[in-house]
Each structure stands twice: as C-alpha cells, then as structure tokens.
Amino acid sequence: MVKVENRTQFNRVINGVMIKRGLNNLLQKEVNKVKKALADPLIKPLVADGQLIVEDVSQIAKDTPATSATTYAPIETPDVANMNVADATNAIRTISDESVLEALLKSETTSANRKGVVDVIKAKLK
C-alpha cells in the first residue's frame, strides 16, 4: 500500500487516480499508475516542493509491529471553512459528488454563511 498526502488546496487526478486533499491510501492497482506519473514534468514540482508526499506504507509495515501501524482514511471533503472565499469557490468547482456538495452547503449555511461560497455550491447542485 502507498500513502499519498496531498497538501495542495485541490483534489488532484494523477494518471487517472483521484488524490484527494489530505491523506490517501492507494490500492495496489492504483500504485503503479501514480508511480509512473511521478516522472511527469507537471507532477515533479509538486513532489519536490513537498505538496505531494508519496510514502510506501508496505515497507514501513514490514519494519514495525502491526499494533503500531496507522491507517488513514482519505479526506472526503475539502476544508473550505479554513479557506478564503476565492480558494473555497475554486475548490468547490472541482467537486462533482452531490452528497459532498450538500454537506458543504449545510456547513456553510450553519457556520460561516459566506454568500459567495453558498452561491457556488447551489449552482453546482442545480
């Protein structure tokens, strides 16, 4: 298994594999696609800058006892509450899952209630 941490502001599709913001555990069939893409000139700067961190968890698991291994679930939604309006709206425009958009809309209307962000979410849900 390979753990990929996406520290950028957006979900990324790398060689056909969705890498969501935060920590992602990739299945073995996805690992080869991502490793092949790491040589891509568009992906290399993300890795070099530490915005995309790829770590082979299977090697770590062999060296450590099973009780200390940690499994991370991918973050399903971007943390738009901590983004400014422009970044939040750009992130929302990349989301196609209606359930995620509905959760974000609920979050925005009950907490921050930023009209620009709410309008973008509502437009995506139409």
Side-chain angles (χ1 to χ4, degrees), residues 58-118:
S58 60
Q59 295 298 327
I60 295 170
K62 290 178 184 176
D63 299 336
T64 58
T67 55
S68 67
T70 305
T71 303
Y72 297 96
I75 295 174
E76 295 296 326
T77 58
D79 187 12
V80 296
N82 292 329
M83 294 181 187
N84 64 36
V85 174
D87 290 341
T89 55
N90 285 335
I92 290 165
R93 286 187 178 108
T94 66
I95 300 170
S96 59
D97 186 344
E98 286 188 13
S99 63
V100 172
L101 290 167
E102 289 169 357
L104 289 172
L105 180 61
K106 183 178 178 183
S107 171
E108 280 296 317
T109 55
T110 58
S111 61
N113 198 15
R114 298 176 290 183
K115 184 179 180 337
V117 175
V118 171

